[in-house]
Amino acid sequence: MKIILLGAPGAGKGTQAAYITKALNIPAISTGDIIRNALKSGSELGKKAKSYMNEGKLVPDEIVIDIIKERLKEDDCKNGFILDGFPRTIAQAEALDSMGVEIDKVVDLEVDEDLIIRRLTGRRVCKDCGSSFHMSMNTPKNEGICDNCGGTLIQRKDDQLSTIMERLSVYKEQTEPLKGYYEQKGKLAIVYGTNDIEQTGKDMLAAMKD
Ligand code: AP5
Ligand code: MG
Protein backbone atom coordinates (compact mmCIF):
# COMPACT_ATOMS: atom_id res chain seq x y z
CA MET A 1 0.00 0.00 0.00
CA LYS A 2 1.12 3.53 -0.78
CA ILE A 3 -0.12 5.94 1.85
CA ILE A 4 0.20 9.66 2.47
CA LEU A 5 -0.27 11.00 6.00
CA LEU A 6 -1.59 14.55 5.96
CA GLY A 7 -2.07 16.65 9.06
CA ALA A 8 -0.96 19.75 10.90
CA PRO A 9 2.28 19.88 12.87
CA GLY A 10 1.71 17.88 16.05
CA ALA A 11 -1.34 16.01 14.70
CA GLY A 12 0.51 12.75 15.37
CA LYS A 13 1.81 11.86 11.90
CA GLY A 14 5.16 10.55 13.15
CA THR A 15 3.57 8.66 16.05
CA GLN A 16 1.03 7.00 13.74
CA ALA A 17 3.60 6.32 11.02
CA ALA A 18 5.51 4.25 13.61
CA TYR A 19 2.32 2.35 14.47
CA ILE A 20 1.30 1.69 10.84
CA THR A 21 4.79 0.69 9.73
CA LYS A 22 4.66 -2.19 12.24
CA ALA A 23 1.10 -3.18 11.32
CA LEU A 24 1.62 -3.18 7.54
CA ASN A 25 5.34 -3.92 7.37
CA ILE A 26 6.09 -1.07 4.96
CA PRO A 27 8.63 1.71 5.58
CA ALA A 28 7.65 5.11 6.97
CA ILE A 29 9.38 7.96 5.17
CA SER A 30 9.49 11.31 6.97
CA THR A 31 11.00 14.22 5.05
CA GLY A 32 11.30 16.04 8.40
CA ASP A 33 13.46 13.20 9.81
CA ILE A 34 15.58 13.04 6.65
CA ILE A 35 16.23 16.80 6.82
CA ARG A 36 16.95 16.71 10.59
CA ASN A 37 19.50 13.91 10.01
CA ALA A 38 21.12 15.99 7.24
CA LEU A 39 21.33 18.94 9.65
CA LYS A 40 23.01 16.72 12.28
CA SER A 41 25.55 15.37 9.81
CA GLY A 42 26.34 18.86 8.48
CA SER A 43 25.81 17.72 4.86
CA GLU A 44 25.21 20.12 1.97
CA LEU A 45 21.46 19.40 2.18
CA GLY A 46 21.53 20.17 5.91
CA LYS A 47 23.24 23.51 5.31
CA LYS A 48 20.65 24.49 2.67
CA ALA A 49 17.67 23.46 4.82
CA LYS A 50 18.76 24.69 8.27
CA SER A 51 17.35 28.23 8.35
CA TYR A 52 14.01 27.24 6.80
CA MET A 53 13.49 24.42 9.26
CA ASN A 54 14.53 26.33 12.35
CA GLU A 55 12.22 29.21 11.43
CA GLY A 56 9.25 26.89 10.81
CA LYS A 57 9.15 27.59 7.08
CA LEU A 58 8.99 25.00 4.31
CA VAL A 59 12.23 23.91 2.68
CA PRO A 60 12.07 24.76 -1.08
CA ASP A 61 10.08 22.29 -3.18
CA GLU A 62 12.95 21.28 -5.49
CA ILE A 63 15.11 20.16 -2.55
CA VAL A 64 12.38 18.04 -0.96
CA ILE A 65 11.21 16.57 -4.28
CA ASP A 66 14.79 15.40 -4.99
CA ILE A 67 14.97 13.78 -1.53
CA ILE A 68 11.76 11.81 -2.19
CA LYS A 69 12.73 10.85 -5.74
CA GLU A 70 15.91 9.24 -4.44
CA ARG A 71 14.32 7.63 -1.37
CA LEU A 72 11.50 5.97 -3.34
CA LYS A 73 14.04 4.25 -5.59
CA GLU A 74 15.28 2.19 -2.64
CA ASP A 75 14.47 -1.51 -2.44
CA ASP A 76 12.36 -1.38 0.71
CA CYS A 77 9.75 0.77 -1.09
CA LYS A 78 8.85 -1.96 -3.59
CA ASN A 79 5.78 -3.17 -1.64
CA GLY A 80 4.60 0.26 -0.56
CA PHE A 81 5.39 3.02 1.92
CA ILE A 82 3.93 5.65 4.20
CA LEU A 83 4.82 9.24 3.42
CA ASP A 84 4.87 11.38 6.60
CA GLY A 85 5.17 15.09 5.81
CA PHE A 86 5.33 14.82 2.00
CA PRO A 87 3.77 16.26 -0.09
CA ARG A 88 3.24 19.58 1.67
CA THR A 89 2.48 21.82 -1.30
CA ILE A 90 0.46 21.37 -4.48
CA ALA A 91 3.73 21.51 -6.47
CA GLN A 92 5.09 18.58 -4.41
CA ALA A 93 1.88 16.59 -5.00
CA GLU A 94 2.10 17.23 -8.74
CA ALA A 95 5.74 16.14 -8.71
CA LEU A 96 4.74 12.88 -7.03
CA ASP A 97 2.08 12.34 -9.72
CA SER A 98 4.58 12.99 -12.47
CA MET A 99 6.96 10.40 -10.95
CA GLY A 100 4.16 7.90 -11.75
CA VAL A 101 3.53 7.08 -8.08
CA GLU A 102 -0.01 5.67 -7.64
CA ILE A 103 -1.15 6.57 -4.13
CA ASP A 104 -3.81 4.27 -2.62
CA LYS A 105 -5.01 6.50 0.21
CA VAL A 106 -4.39 9.90 1.76
CA VAL A 107 -5.23 9.87 5.46
CA ASP A 108 -5.74 13.29 7.00
CA LEU A 109 -5.31 13.39 10.79
CA GLU A 110 -7.47 16.15 12.29
CA VAL A 111 -6.69 17.59 15.74
CA ASP A 112 -7.86 20.91 17.27
CA GLU A 113 -5.30 23.69 17.51
CA ASP A 114 -5.26 23.95 21.33
CA LEU A 115 -4.43 20.23 21.65
CA ILE A 116 -1.78 20.57 18.92
CA ILE A 117 -0.09 23.34 20.89
CA ARG A 118 -0.12 21.23 24.10
CA ARG A 119 1.27 18.26 22.18
CA LEU A 120 4.10 20.21 20.59
CA THR A 121 5.16 22.26 23.61
CA GLY A 122 5.36 19.04 25.69
CA ARG A 123 6.97 16.86 23.03
CA ARG A 124 10.41 15.36 23.57
CA VAL A 125 12.23 13.48 20.81
CA CYS A 126 15.10 11.01 20.87
CA LYS A 127 18.29 12.68 19.75
CA ASP A 128 19.48 9.39 18.21
CA CYS A 129 16.46 7.66 16.59
CA GLY A 130 13.95 10.57 16.46
CA SER A 131 11.10 8.75 18.30
CA SER A 132 8.51 11.12 19.77
CA PHE A 133 7.32 11.16 23.39
CA HIS A 134 5.35 13.65 25.47
CA MET A 135 6.03 14.86 29.00
CA SER A 136 2.47 14.02 30.14
CA MET A 137 0.50 12.48 27.26
CA ASN A 138 2.95 9.83 26.01
CA THR A 139 5.62 9.45 28.65
CA PRO A 140 8.71 7.24 28.23
CA LYS A 141 9.21 4.39 30.73
CA ASN A 142 12.28 6.18 32.18
CA GLU A 143 12.24 9.97 32.29
CA GLY A 144 14.42 11.57 29.63
CA ILE A 145 15.36 8.22 28.02
CA CYS A 146 14.07 6.81 24.71
CA ASP A 147 12.09 3.54 25.07
CA ASN A 148 13.26 2.34 21.64
CA CYS A 149 17.02 2.88 21.72
CA GLY A 150 18.00 4.29 25.14
CA GLY A 151 19.02 7.66 23.61
CA THR A 152 18.58 11.00 25.38
CA LEU A 153 15.30 12.88 24.86
CA ILE A 154 15.54 16.52 23.82
CA GLN A 155 13.21 19.30 22.69
CA ARG A 156 13.11 20.02 18.94
CA LYS A 157 14.39 23.50 18.05
CA ASP A 158 11.19 24.24 16.12
CA ASP A 159 8.98 23.33 19.12
CA GLN A 160 9.26 26.83 20.65
CA LEU A 161 5.81 28.45 20.82
CA SER A 162 6.58 31.24 18.30
CA THR A 163 7.91 28.71 15.76
CA ILE A 164 4.94 26.40 16.37
CA MET A 165 2.58 29.29 15.51
CA GLU A 166 4.55 29.96 12.31
CA ARG A 167 4.42 26.26 11.35
CA LEU A 168 0.65 26.22 11.90
CA SER A 169 0.19 29.25 9.68
CA VAL A 170 2.42 27.76 6.95
CA TYR A 171 0.35 24.56 7.21
CA LYS A 172 -2.95 26.41 6.70
CA GLU A 173 -1.65 28.41 3.79
CA GLN A 174 0.41 25.86 1.86
CA THR A 175 -0.50 22.33 2.97
CA GLU A 176 -4.20 22.35 3.80
CA PRO A 177 -5.17 22.88 0.11
CA LEU A 178 -3.90 19.32 -0.46
CA LYS A 179 -7.07 18.02 1.18
CA GLY A 180 -9.09 19.37 -1.76
CA TYR A 181 -6.49 18.12 -4.23
CA TYR A 182 -6.81 14.51 -3.01
CA GLU A 183 -10.54 14.69 -2.30
CA GLN A 184 -11.08 15.45 -5.99
CA LYS A 185 -9.14 12.32 -6.83
CA GLY A 186 -11.34 10.30 -4.43
CA LYS A 187 -8.37 9.37 -2.23
CA LEU A 188 -8.97 11.39 0.95
CA ALA A 189 -9.97 9.81 4.27
CA ILE A 190 -10.36 11.92 7.42
CA VAL A 191 -9.51 10.49 10.85
CA TYR A 192 -9.86 12.35 14.14
CA GLY A 193 -6.56 12.12 15.95
CA THR A 194 -7.72 13.07 19.44
CA ASN A 195 -8.06 9.54 20.88
CA ASP A 196 -5.16 7.65 22.39
CA ILE A 197 -2.38 6.41 20.10
CA GLU A 198 -3.65 2.81 19.85
CA GLN A 199 -7.25 3.78 19.03
CA THR A 200 -6.15 6.40 16.49
CA GLY A 201 -3.90 3.79 14.86
CA LYS A 202 -6.84 1.37 14.56
CA ASP A 203 -9.03 4.12 13.10
CA MET A 204 -6.34 4.91 10.56
CA LEU A 205 -5.92 1.28 9.49
CA ALA A 206 -9.71 1.02 9.07
CA ALA A 207 -9.78 4.22 6.98
CA MET A 208 -7.09 2.81 4.67
CA LYS A 209 -9.24 -0.23 3.87
CA ASP A 210 -12.36 1.79 2.94
P1 AP5 B 1 8.16 17.58 10.30
O1 AP5 B 1 9.21 16.92 11.06
O2 AP5 B 1 7.36 16.81 9.33
O3 AP5 B 1 7.22 18.36 11.33
P2 AP5 B 1 5.66 18.73 11.34
O4 AP5 B 1 4.84 18.51 10.12
O5 AP5 B 1 5.65 20.10 11.87
O6 AP5 B 1 5.03 17.68 12.23
P3 AP5 B 1 5.57 17.20 13.60
O7 AP5 B 1 6.68 16.20 13.40
O8 AP5 B 1 5.87 18.38 14.47
O9 AP5 B 1 4.26 16.52 14.20
P4 AP5 B 1 3.69 15.08 14.00
O10 AP5 B 1 2.37 15.21 13.30
O11 AP5 B 1 4.68 14.12 13.44
O12 AP5 B 1 3.37 14.73 15.52
P5 AP5 B 1 4.03 13.65 16.51
O13 AP5 B 1 3.64 12.27 16.10
O14 AP5 B 1 5.45 13.92 16.77
O15 AP5 B 1 8.80 18.82 9.49
C1 AP5 B 1 9.65 19.72 10.15
C2 AP5 B 1 10.17 20.75 9.17
O16 AP5 B 1 10.90 20.11 8.10
C3 AP5 B 1 9.12 21.60 8.45
O17 AP5 B 1 8.69 22.69 9.24
C4 AP5 B 1 9.92 22.03 7.20
O18 AP5 B 1 10.83 23.04 7.51
C5 AP5 B 1 10.71 20.77 6.86
N1 AP5 B 1 9.96 19.87 5.96
C6 AP5 B 1 9.60 18.58 6.21
N2 AP5 B 1 8.93 18.07 5.17
C7 AP5 B 1 8.86 19.04 4.22
C8 AP5 B 1 8.28 19.13 2.93
N3 AP5 B 1 7.62 18.09 2.38
N4 AP5 B 1 8.40 20.29 2.26
C9 AP5 B 1 9.08 21.35 2.76
N5 AP5 B 1 9.64 21.35 3.99
C10 AP5 B 1 9.53 20.20 4.71
O19 AP5 B 1 3.17 13.98 17.84
C11 AP5 B 1 3.29 15.21 18.52
C12 AP5 B 1 3.28 14.99 20.03
O20 AP5 B 1 2.02 14.49 20.43
C13 AP5 B 1 4.31 13.98 20.54
O21 AP5 B 1 4.77 14.43 21.79
C14 AP5 B 1 3.51 12.67 20.69
O22 AP5 B 1 4.05 11.83 21.69
C15 AP5 B 1 2.13 13.22 21.07
N6 AP5 B 1 1.02 12.42 20.56
C16 AP5 B 1 0.81 12.07 19.26
N7 AP5 B 1 -0.34 11.38 19.14
C17 AP5 B 1 -0.87 11.31 20.39
C18 AP5 B 1 -2.07 10.72 20.93
N8 AP5 B 1 -2.95 10.08 20.12
N9 AP5 B 1 -2.28 10.83 22.26
C19 AP5 B 1 -1.40 11.51 23.06
N10 AP5 B 1 -0.27 12.07 22.63
C20 AP5 B 1 0.00 11.98 21.30
MG1 MG C 1 6.68 14.27 12.79
Side-chain angles (χ1 to χ4, degrees):
M1 260 198 142
K2 294 176 182 152
I3 308 286
I4 290 173
L5 292 190
L6 263 186
K13 302 182 297 296
T15 304
Q16 289 308 326
Y19 183 91
I20 297 162
T21 205
K22 277 188 205 143
L24 299 183
N25 201 23
I26 48 176
I29 299 169
S30 155
T31 38
D33 284 349
I34 294 172
I35 298 167
R36 269 184 293 281
N37 286 336
L39 240 76
K40 248 198 316 198
S41 73
S43 69
E44 224 23 68
L45 163 65
K47 283 181 200 146
K48 281 189 204 151
K50 188 174 180 177
S51 62
Y52 298 102
M53 189 178 229
N54 288 344
E55 288 168 22
K57 306 228 178 330
L58 293 185
V59 172
D61 285 335
E62 59 276 16
I63 297 180
V64 198
I65 290 166
D66 275 352
I67 292 176
I68 285 294
K69 242 184 215 157
E70 288 311 305
R71 180 63 185 88
L72 295 186
K73 282 184 197 155
E74 286 179 35
D75 250 18
D76 62 342
C77 295
K78 273 200 304 240
N79 297 324
F81 45 78
I82 306 153
L83 292 177
D84 158 9
F86 184 95
R88 248 170 156 107
T89 62
I90 298 284
Q92 292 179 18
E94 288 170 347
L96 196 59
D97 291 343
S98 64
M99 285 176 221
V101 175
E102 265 294 326
I103 294 296
D104 296 295
K105 207 83 182 181
V106 178
V107 186
D108 169 44
L109 257 183
E110 287 286 329
V111 176
D112 290 342
E113 196 164 305
D114 55 341
L115 182 55
I116 279 180
I117 292 170
R118 278 195 285 139
R119 281 185 177 178
L120 289 180
T121 48
R123 172 166 63 184
R124 295 296 179 268
V125 297
C126 177
K127 115 179 164 355
D128 297 328
C129 75
S131 297
S132 272
F133 298 87
H134 191 279
M135 292 202 304
S136 59
M137 294 189 267
N138 176 25
T139 52
K141 289 192 187 88
N142 298 305
E143 200 184 322
I145 308 289
C146 176
D147 287 356
N148 296 326
C149 75
T152 307
L153 301 184
I154 55 165
Q155 188 167 31
R156 252 169 61 173
K157 248 206 171 95
D158 59 351
D159 278 347
Q160 304 298 322
L161 188 58
S162 58
T163 320
I164 291 172
M165 298 317 286
E166 174 64 19
R167 284 159 62 204
L168 285 170
S169 119
V170 166
Y171 172 76
K172 279 181 202 144
E173 213 173 282
Q174 301 191 56
T175 306
E176 231 173 6
L178 287 176
K179 288 189 211 169
Y181 182 87
Y182 286 113
E183 194 173 23
Q184 268 185 356
K185 292 178 186 281
K187 306 232 160 156
L188 187 74
I190 294 176
V191 169
Y192 291 91
T194 41
N195 287 317
D196 64 30
I197 294 169
E198 179 93 20
Q199 185 57 51
T200 306
K202 286 182 182 154
D203 293 345
M204 293 193 73
L205 289 173
M208 285 171 202
K209 287 183 191 132
D210 280 350

